[in-house]
Amino acid sequence: MTAGAAGLLIPGVPLLLGLLGLLLRPGDDAPRRPAAAVGIAGAAGSLLVTFLLLFRADQPIEFNKRWVSIGGLDITLGFSAGMAALYVALAVCVVALFVQIYSVAYLHDDPRYPPYAAQVSLFTGAMLLVVTSGDLIGVLVGWEVMGACSYLLIGHDRRLPEAPAAALKAFLVTRVGDVGFLLGVALLVVDAGTSRITAVLAHDYSTGTLTAALLLVLAGVAGKSAQFPLHTWLPDAMAGPTPISALIHAATMVAAGVYLVFRLYPLFTRSPAALAVLGVMAALTILIGALSATAQDDLKRVLAWSTVSQIGYMTGALAVGSPAAALFHLLTHAAFKALLFLAAGAVIHAVGTNYLSRMGGLREHMPVTFWSFVVGLGALAGLPPLAGFWSKENVLAEAAHATEAGGGPAPVWVGWLVWLAALFAVFVTAWYSTRLLLRAFFGTSRAYGPDGPDWAIGFEDARYTPPPVPHDPPGLMRWPILLLAVLSAVLGLAAYAPGFRSALELDEPHLDVAIVLPLVLLAAGVGAAWWLWRAVPGADPAAALGPARAFLAAGFRLDDVQNLLVVRPARALARLVTATDEHVVDAAVEGTGTTTTRLGGVLTTMHRVSLPTAAVFLFLGVLVLGVVALWSGSST
Amino acid sequence: MIFDALLIAVLVLPVLGAVTVALFPARLDRAARVAGTVFAALTLLPVVLLPFGRDDARFDPSASLPAVRPWAEVDASWVPALRLDFHLGVDGVSYPLVALTALLTVLCCAYTVWRVPEGGSGRTLLALLLVLEAGILGTFLALDLVLFFLFFEVVLLPMYAVIAGWGGDDRRRAARKFVLYTIFGSVLLLLGVLTVTATAGTGDLVVLSGGTELDKHTQYAAFALFAVAFAVKAPLWPLHTWLPDAHTQAPTVGSVILAGVLLKMGTYGLIRIGVGVAPLGAARAASVLGVLAVAAILAGALICLRQTELKRLIAYSSVGHMGFVLLGIATLTVTGLQAALLGNVAHGLITGLLFFLAGAIKDRAHTGDLAGLGGLRETAPRLAGLLGFAAIASLGLPGLAGFWGEAFAVVAAVQRGGPLWLTLAVLAAIGGALTAAYFLRLLRKVTHGPASPAVLGVRPAIAGPEWLAWAPLAVGVLAVGLVPALVLAATAGPMLALTGALR
């Protein structure tokens, strides 16, 4: 079997197993083992094939077959993956496998686990299709199937009343972006005559068409990767189960947009306008995400806004002309963000609530989880020598390089914008990471309010039930967390490995004086949060934000702006169109019926005249005919 | 020879079946229904065998092609004075619709064996379904203009009877509106047919295709008449108002046939006769058609956002989907026409499935009101899963059948180029997003959330006959989504010839 044909197994196996899993018997008493087996087998199978291809292949693998030809546009189905794509596929498979294993324990009491596992498998296959497809239509298929699976999985938990609305919002906001994506793909495909990516990258587009197409594609990227202004769905998507947040909303789907720009980068380098727009989007996203994360009370929402911000780093790196830095940060982010979400799941599982204001003092009871959070948050903040430090340094270095004239394909002001935003966000990221750690794991437990746990008062006696002590998660949940912690710690050093570096086309990491500034900001952020914590024991450091806290917690009220600018006009337009349809269009149709009936009535009345009147009409008619006959007779 | 005989068999078997069913006495009602289903299943046999008669070597690919190159053909003179020949034929353009008709009819007949809606005897309904099938198959197979008109008319009264006899509460008014509105369209179709046959001296579609027999002004007049007639059938906004009531009031099998196949008669007619016989008229009217098609997409989607009843929502969604098909036709590019053909088949499969499921939900919960339904996935997870699958297929998820028609109608509009068509492409893409909005709103109201009282009493098990009726459609949706070449196989040539006549 050639490498390319084998490569088709990478998305194929999880997709097929996911479809099979959906056919399994649903319902509250369905067996869980087959579903778990199907889910884990899918991820493991893809992982195996990806490993094999990584070690055996030394050049990009291409395998394309004709799928359909519509009006002379050739659509192909195939596998096209260079080394970088295989590393991304590896990351997806690893995180998916860990999430499937973790979910077996996390959802042990959920009766709807079988369709969940099948949908996760379907999602994994769709993401792998996006990563390995050699054709833009194939990417579109995977892209949208991911969105559908995300919708199904966010709405999974039947106990949460906000989940269906969050699922709807996620799908619709990304769908709005996908409108632009479809149009951009249409422009590219129509001009090139085929949708094969290698052909599209080599095609000579006119500047206008290219810029328009790329800006439209960026709309889709913004939607899928939760960039400003289409980022509003991601914090609400935290209503989904935590393993889903780890897989979809941290490591894979939101990274798909970044990966797409990476894949189409040769086209982007030809369009400085598109890169400038990307840069502005990235800078705004970095700041909005980081600042909103400072004020959140919900643990998962902090991580969600943090994801928005970190993906802004990736898109920023792309905007300043360094796709390699973006991809490196994508890989490290996948590791530490998945770690953070899975560890957060362990905390939520143990404590029973998402809210930081109800946590505290977990360090003594959950040491493993605590140290995983330390590693994860350290990587997030960019603490050396953890993975995030290396990738963030890379992004900052590239952004700084782009501030020099001729430093990249984008204009110089884009470089300045991205660099300054990224630097400021280092401070903010360190601040909210420290706040998270302190609020959740240090201090006294706030689980039962200021008066402590309640007495259970019965009719004959009063009982004091010792509160359940939070404990570290069971084995199936713990091992994925530990492995991801190891990865988050050492992945950054992979930049020193020549094979990895050449695959990503990364520059050799060099530590020079430029790392001082981010480290100083990091220390300042950590210090500020710690000082606020120490200054007022037990209080939330976010209280220092003062009146701005509510504004930041609501994500700069951008949800309300979206509601005002999009949702309400759409509803008003729907009311208008429905009213027009009923009262104008249909009324005209019904009107013909009533008019005809009335006309018939009039004619009936006319026929009911009395004999003398009828005789008068008859003679009038004879008179008219006679005049006509005389006149035509005289004219001949 | 044998394939020509198969062609006649395709038309004769349903008629024989209808007569047989009508001869059964009232006490053997169920046996009559089974017999009718057997005849419908027998019709599938020649339909399945027809593609094997395809002989591409018969036509010289280098010569200037007629747009109609039938695989099997029957041509006999019938009424020369009316220029009416009994000329039947099937090619790559009409075959997918013929197969879709045969499939949907046999599924509806099987469903009727199991469950007869209130209002009349089951065997009468089945006989009417078979007569409908004969009429629709005749429309798709006819290669003579007057014969086409004949079969077009055959379909009207049985459909009226189905809605008025077995429909919902407001069925008589809905059936009346449907039949009167469609007859108005048929009058215009007759005028168009007469214009063409009188001017050209023949009604043979093989000869007329390409518009070589007609001068420019006749083509303009003919296309105007044809376009309005088929726009009523398709339906195209603003000539669509017969559709919501007809679909809502019709019984389940009536809605499936109406949405699945009857609407396709309009779009097929527009491609085969409108664009085929009067291409200059089509080229002249293309912009107007395109604008109305996009208006249909947007209006259909926006009206669906306000709907509160399950069947009515699916009915208005048909207006939107047919808008995409008509946009593809209006671009007059090969991409657009092929997208329209794909969209036709996809819509037939998906909306057929949606109406089956809506009927099943209404039967179980005794209400179709969205406010009364809710939490279906709690009590009937399989049914909710199927509804979710059908809704997601209908909103055009890539990988399922609906994607190809919608996406490539947009691509065709982009391909046509120019400010008008690019604007239409953008608006159509926005319509796609609105389609997602209303379908997801439907799913949220019906499947998610806590179970409402009406849903708590829903029987979760899906009966054998229901699986039999739904599974082929679900598999078909996935199959066409993954292998669109199943529908497009022999269409490239005819579509190239059709658009070639425009240059």
Side-chain angles (χ1 to χ4, degrees):
Chain A
M1 186 189 283
T2 65
L8 283 175
L9 286 175
I10 298 182
V13 167
L15 277 173
L16 205 63
L17 286 177
L19 279 173
L20 282 173
L22 284 176
L23 294 173
L24 287 175
R25 187 159 60 90
D28 283 9
D29 56 346
R32 302 165 56 85
R33 284 249 174 92
V38 160
I40 295 178
S46 290
L47 186 60
L48 195 63
V49 179
T50 314
F51 256 127
L52 288 173
L53 283 181
L54 253 180
F55 288 127
R56 285 202 44 204
D58 45 358
Q59 57 191 14
I61 307 166
E62 290 267 347
F63 177 82
N64 280 304
K65 291 200 70 176
R66 205 173 130 260
W67 191 1
V68 70
S69 181
I70 301 190
L73 298 171
D74 285 317
I75 319 286
T76 59
L77 186 66
F79 181 83
S80 166
M83 298 300 287
L86 285 173
Y87 276 109
V88 175
L90 188 68
V92 172
C93 292
V94 165
V95 176
L97 183 63
F98 285 169
V99 161
Q100 288 274 22
I101 297 174
Y102 182 98
S103 302
V104 175
Y106 192 79
L107 293 167
H108 69 273
D109 57 351
D110 189 336
R112 291 187 60 241
Y113 171 75
Y116 166 95
Q119 285 157 8
V120 173
S121 192
L122 207 58
F123 170 86
T124 312
M127 177 70 194
L128 290 168
L129 188 62
V130 170
V131 173
T132 59
S133 173
D135 186 282
L136 276 177
I137 300 295
V139 168
L140 188 63
V141 172
W143 189 267
E144 299 265 1
V145 174
M146 277 202 298
C149 290
S150 167
Y151 161 80
L152 290 170
L153 287 164
I154 295 174
H156 172 86
D157 197 337
R158 52 161 52 137
R159 299 167 300 183
L160 293 175
E162 68 266 19
L168 189 76
K169 185 174 178 181
F171 197 101
L172 281 184
V173 174
T174 47
R175 197 66 194 282
V176 167
D178 290 343
V179 166
F181 190 52
L182 177 65
L183 288 168
V185 166
L187 273 173
L188 290 174
V189 170
V190 162
D191 216 61
T194 173
S195 53
R196 227 175 51 197
I197 295 186
T198 41
V200 166
L201 290 177
H203 185 82
D204 187 24
Y205 292 98
S206 73
T207 327
T209 316
L210 188 63
T211 309
L214 289 178
L215 285 175
L216 288 165
V217 167
L218 279 182
V221 167
K224 212 53 140 203
S225 289
Q227 301 292 284
F228 176 83
L230 295 173
H231 64 283
T232 46
W233 63 273
L234 190 55
D236 288 334
M238 295 298 111
T242 311
I244 297 307
S245 307
L247 178 63
I248 301 183
H249 306 127
T252 50
M253 185 169 97
V254 292
V258 175
Y259 179 76
L260 181 73
V261 179
F262 173 83
R263 197 87 165 76
L264 295 178
Y265 208 70
L267 290 178
F268 274 92
T269 48
R270 292 187 237 159
S271 174
L275 286 176
V277 169
L278 187 61
V280 172
M281 226 168 65
L284 280 170
T285 310
I286 294 175
L287 292 173
I288 291 176
L291 288 170
S292 299
T294 58
Q296 301 298 323
D297 191 29
D298 185 327
L299 171 58
K300 287 178 71 175
R301 276 186 173 240
V302 177
L303 297 176
W305 281 111
S306 152
T307 305
V308 171
S309 179
Q310 293 300 308
I311 303 209
Y313 272 88
M314 298 177 213
T315 45
L318 287 167
V320 298
S322 175
L327 210 65
F328 189 28
H329 196 55
L330 192 156
L331 292 172
T332 58
H333 178 263
F336 65 70
K337 204 37 84 61
L339 165 67
L340 280 171
F341 269 110
L342 292 185
V347 167
I348 295 169
H349 181 82
V351 177
T353 174
N354 283 16
Y355 293 105
L356 286 171
S357 50
R358 303 304 255 165
M359 296 180 192
L362 294 173
R363 187 169 48 115
E364 304 116 48
H365 305 292
M366 304 177 69
V368 174
T369 315
F370 169 67
W371 285 109
S372 321
F373 255 98
V374 169
V375 170
L377 288 173
L380 172 62
L383 194 66
L386 301 170
F389 164 70
W390 302 97
S391 57
K392 223 181 244 198
E393 277 310 310
N394 217 322
V395 173
L396 287 167
E398 296 290 340
H401 181 63
T403 59
E404 302 150 21
V412 167
W413 59 270
V414 172
W416 276 105
L417 199 63
V418 171
W419 187 60
L420 288 173
L423 265 185
F424 180 59
V426 170
F427 169 75
V428 181
T429 310
W431 193 92
Y432 70 68
S433 307
T434 317
R435 169 183 172 254
L436 184 75
L437 196 67
L438 292 172
R439 286 278 279 173
F441 291 97
F442 289 81
T444 53
S445 169
R446 290 181 296 277
Y448 292 96
D451 299 322
D454 295 321
W455 287 77
I457 300 182
F459 283 104
E460 310 261 285
D461 59 358
R463 237 169 302 123
Y464 172 74
T465 318
V469 174
H471 55 279
D472 266 324
L476 273 180
M477 283 168 69
R478 204 170 5 162
W479 277 104
I481 295 177
L482 286 173
L483 290 170
L484 281 172
V486 169
L487 273 176
S488 302
V490 306
L491 195 58
L493 300 171
Y496 282 106
F500 183 76
R501 219 170 51 236
S502 63
L504 261 57
E505 294 163 39
L506 209 54
D507 294 328
E508 175 149 11
H510 51 280
L511 303 175
D512 59 12
V513 78
I515 67 168
V516 169
L517 186 53
L519 284 177
V520 164
L521 287 168
L522 175 78
V526 173
W530 185 79
W531 180 80
L532 283 169
W533 171 263
R534 285 275 293 183
V536 188
D540 189 352
L545 294 167
R549 187 184 177 180
F551 183 67
L552 291 178
F556 292 80
R557 307 279 306 265
L558 286 171
D559 272 310
D560 298 329
V561 171
Q562 181 181 278
N563 199 8
L564 192 65
L565 289 181
V566 179
V567 179
R568 284 173 50 181
R571 287 215 181 112
L573 195 62
R575 269 198 302 274
L576 179 67
V577 171
T578 313
T580 313
D581 199 68
E582 267 170 54
H583 300 299
V584 177
V585 178
D586 201 29
V589 171
E590 302 272 338
T592 55
T594 29
T595 313
T596 316
T597 323
R598 281 216 205 105
L599 195 63
V602 167
L603 287 173
T604 318
T605 333
M606 277 178 59
H607 277 82
R608 275 200 233 110
V609 296
S610 59
L611 198 53
T613 324
V616 168
F617 276 119
L618 183 63
F619 284 124
L620 264 175
V622 168
L623 193 63
V624 169
L625 281 172
V627 166
V628 168
L630 270 175
W631 182 55
S632 63
S634 66
S635 62
T636 47
Chain B
M1 273 307 298
I2 180 166
F3 291 101
D4 305 340
L6 284 177
L7 206 55
I8 306 223
V10 166
L11 271 188
V12 163
L13 279 170
V15 176
L16 268 182
V19 168
T20 316
V21 167
L23 288 176
F24 273 74
R27 60 189 169 78
L28 289 175
D29 194 74
R30 200 196 150 86
R33 283 182 270 147
V34 172
T37 312
V38 166
F39 269 97
L42 282 176
T43 317
L44 266 181
L45 278 171
V47 168
V48 164
L49 290 173
L50 274 174
F52 295 99
R54 188 168 92 201
D55 184 11
D56 293 322
R58 208 156 35 131
F59 299 100
D60 180 5
S62 60
S64 80
L65 318 154
V68 184
R69 296 174 290 169
W71 305 339
E73 203 171 355
V74 168
D75 197 352
S77 179
W78 193 2
V79 184
L82 288 175
R83 302 193 229 301
L84 168 60
D85 294 325
F86 194 74
H87 189 180
L88 299 175
V90 65
D91 72 343
V93 176
S94 50
Y95 179 72
L97 293 170
V98 168
L100 181 67
T101 311
L103 177 69
L104 280 178
T105 309
V106 74
L107 294 179
C108 287
C109 291
Y111 196 80
T112 312
V113 169
W114 178 64
R115 183 183 206 84
V116 179
E118 291 176 6
S121 68
R123 70 187 187 288
T124 319
L125 177 60
L126 213 98
L128 285 171
L129 284 177
L130 288 171
V131 173
L132 265 175
E133 181 183 17
I136 301 171
L137 286 173
T139 320
F140 291 138
L141 293 174
L143 285 182
D144 178 273
L145 269 180
V146 187
L147 189 67
F148 177 90
F149 174 76
L150 216 91
F151 279 116
F152 203 81
E153 292 303 291
V154 165
V155 168
L156 282 183
L157 286 181
M159 196 71 234
Y160 169 80
V162 168
I163 301 176
W166 289 266
D169 295 327
D170 199 19
R171 59 188 182 275
R172 295 198 192 282
R173 194 183 66 86
R176 224 177 12 239
K177 192 169 178 179
F178 159 73
V179 82
L180 287 176
Y181 212 138
T182 321
I183 284 183
F184 159 71
S186 301
V187 166
L188 294 173
L189 178 62
L190 180 60
L191 280 175
V193 164
L194 289 177
T195 312
V196 172
T197 50
T199 317
T202 171
D204 194 325
L205 274 175
V206 180
V207 172
L208 285 170
S209 273
T212 44
E213 306 284 322
L214 303 170
D215 67 293
K216 196 171 68 166
H217 294 286
T218 320
Q219 287 196 26
Y220 289 167
F223 187 79
L225 290 164
F226 286 141
V228 177
F230 292 128
V232 171
K233 197 73 173 175
L236 180 64
W237 195 90
L239 300 171
H240 67 289
T241 45
W242 60 269
L243 183 110
D245 288 323
H247 272 122
T248 316
Q249 299 302 323
T252 306
V253 291
S255 298
V256 169
I257 294 284
L258 188 52
V261 203
L262 239 73
L263 303 185
K264 315 302 177 288
M265 286 164 61
T267 50
Y268 168 79
L270 199 58
I271 296 177
R272 185 75 103 190
I273 297 179
V275 177
V277 172
L280 293 177
R284 191 95 191 267
S287 328
V288 175
L289 260 182
V291 170
L292 285 176
V294 168
I297 298 172
L298 291 172
L302 287 168
I303 297 173
C304 276
L305 276 173
R306 303 261 312 156
Q307 291 308 308
T308 53
E309 208 267 333
L310 187 55
K311 281 183 85 167
R312 208 174 168 85
L313 190 147
I314 303 173
Y316 271 111
S317 83
S318 292
V319 176
H321 286 114
M322 286 294 112
F324 274 104
V325 172
L326 288 161
L327 177 66
I329 299 176
T331 60
L332 294 177
T333 58
V334 182
T335 314
L337 288 167
Q338 286 191 311
L341 293 173
L342 269 168
N344 262 346
V345 176
H347 178 260
L349 290 170
I350 297 172
T351 311
L353 181 60
L354 271 173
F355 272 116
F356 266 129
L357 291 170
I361 293 174
K362 274 188 87 160
D363 286 335
R364 285 166 161 82
H366 306 292
T367 175
D369 198 18
L370 290 184
L373 295 169
L376 193 65
R377 74 174 176 175
E378 306 292 331
T379 33
R382 275 237 154 97
L383 192 56
L386 273 169
L387 184 67
F389 172 76
I392 288 180
S394 197
L395 63 84
L397 191 80
L400 298 173
F403 162 68
W404 297 101
E406 289 192 13
F408 279 86
V410 173
V411 171
V414 169
Q415 198 177 34
R416 183 70 194 256
L420 172 70
W421 290 101
L422 285 174
T423 318
L424 290 179
V426 171
L427 289 173
I430 295 176
L434 287 171
T435 310
Y438 70 73
F439 268 117
L440 291 178
R441 172 179 168 268
L442 170 73
L443 284 182
R444 180 168 151 215
K445 283 186 185 277
V446 174
T447 58
H448 286 138
S452 67
V455 167
L456 278 172
V458 162
R459 182 183 82 242
I462 299 181
E466 290 180 313
W467 274 125
L468 192 66
W470 304 345
L473 293 176
V475 168
V477 166
L478 195 58
V480 172
L482 293 176
V483 190
L486 282 174
V487 172
L488 288 184
T491 58
M495 295 298 109
L496 268 170
L498 269 183
T499 49
L502 293 163
R503 290 183 217 116

